[in-house]
């Protein structure tokens, strides 16, 4: 169980990240934001990278919990839209997730990523079983869907123009084509 101080430090890191990106997150500034000594974060985190990875883990777990709390299992399209909405709401957190999570060594981060993979793959498999998605390896199909989603979000954020389709539109198009493929 994470301590209250741990949670406070992560919340402060999230505010700093959202405000000015990952370069604005230092353990000293996180400590100042919480009102503790500059050494206090080191009781919970070994480095800036460590606190950023803990923040990513927390974000992934929150998305997992959203899925797991749903009264009925979410379709993979609904999961994808939840992720896209989160990414557009928390662009700096999304950028951090994309740029830094592959380097993760924290056990909670690795567990969160595995948990998200399982949820996504199960949702893909469930949609395949009802004929909403084409047959095949559900894990590979879930990777295809997530990769397309990540690319659409990155393209949308990088373009900064209104003539670029929003990620939700691309996701709808993707699932329309996958659904047609499943019916063929």
């Amino acid at each position: 169980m994470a301590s209250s101080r741990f949670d406070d430090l992560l919340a402060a890191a999230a505010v700093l990240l959202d405000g000015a990106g990952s370069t604005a997150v230092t353990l000293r500034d996180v400590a100042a934001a919480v009102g503790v000594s500059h050494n206090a974060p080191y009781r919970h985190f070994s480095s800036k990278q460590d606190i950023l990875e803990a923040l990513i883990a927390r974000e992934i777990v929150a998305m997992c919990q959203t899925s797991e709390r749903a009264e009925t299992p979410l379709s993979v399209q609904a999961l994808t839209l939840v992720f896209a909405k989160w990414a557009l709401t928390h662009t700096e957190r999304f950028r951090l997730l994309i740029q830094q999570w592959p380097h993760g060594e924290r056990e909670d981060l690795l567990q969160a990523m595995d948990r998200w993979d399982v949820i996504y793959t199960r949702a893909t498999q469930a949609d395949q079983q009802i004929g909403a998605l084409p047959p095949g390896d559900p894990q590979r199909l879930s990777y295809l869907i997530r990769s397309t989603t990540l690319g659409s979000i990155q393209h949308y954020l990088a373009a900064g123009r209104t003539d670029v389709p929003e990620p939700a539109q691309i996701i709808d198009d993707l699932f329309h084509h996958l659904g047609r493929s499943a019916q063929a």
Side-chain angles (χ1 to χ4, degrees), residues 18 22 34 43-44 54 66 74-75 87 117 133 138 175 178:
D18 291 344
S22 62
V34 174
R43 292 187 193 111
H44 303 279
T66 296
L74 296 179
S75 69
D117 282 346
L133 292 175
F175 281 93
L178 287 171

Side-chain angles (χ1 to χ4, degrees), residues 61-136:
V61 166
M63 283 187 275
C64 291
Q65 290 171 338
T66 296
S67 169
E68 293 164 347
R69 281 193 302 261
E71 287 186 32
T72 58
L74 296 179
S75 69
V76 72
Q77 184 173 3
L79 282 174
T80 306
L81 289 168
V82 164
F83 176 77
K85 182 178 179 182
W86 169 83
L88 295 177
T89 303
H90 304 288
T91 57
E92 291 302 325
R93 296 178 200 190
F94 169 75
R95 288 183 175 118
L96 178 65
L97 175 78
I98 298 308
Q99 294 170 358
Q100 303 209 13
W101 71 260
H103 308 295
E105 298 294 330
R106 287 182 58 95
E107 188 61 30
D108 58 343
L109 176 56
L110 298 173
Q111 288 175 356
M113 290 174 3
D114 287 345
R115 184 174 168 189
W116 184 245
D117 282 346
V118 167
I119 289 169
Y120 225 96
T121 301
R122 284 183 182 157
T124 301
Q125 188 172 34
D127 285 356
Q128 287 175 312
Q129 290 172 346
I130 63 169
L133 292 175

Side-chain angles (χ1 to χ4, degrees), residues 133-150:
L133 292 175
D137 181 347
Q139 188 173 42
R140 286 182 61 119
L141 183 55
S142 77
Y143 288 156
L144 172 67
I145 293 165
R146 288 185 279 173
S147 296
T148 302
T149 301
L150 291 173

Side-chain angles (χ1 to χ4, degrees), residues 3-35:
S3 72
S4 175
R5 179 64 41 89
F6 179 89
D7 293 334
D8 292 345
L9 293 167
L10 280 182
V15 169
L16 291 168
L17 177 69
D18 291 344
S22 62
T23 57
V25 180
T26 67
L27 292 178
R28 184 176 292 272
D29 289 340
V30 168
V34 174

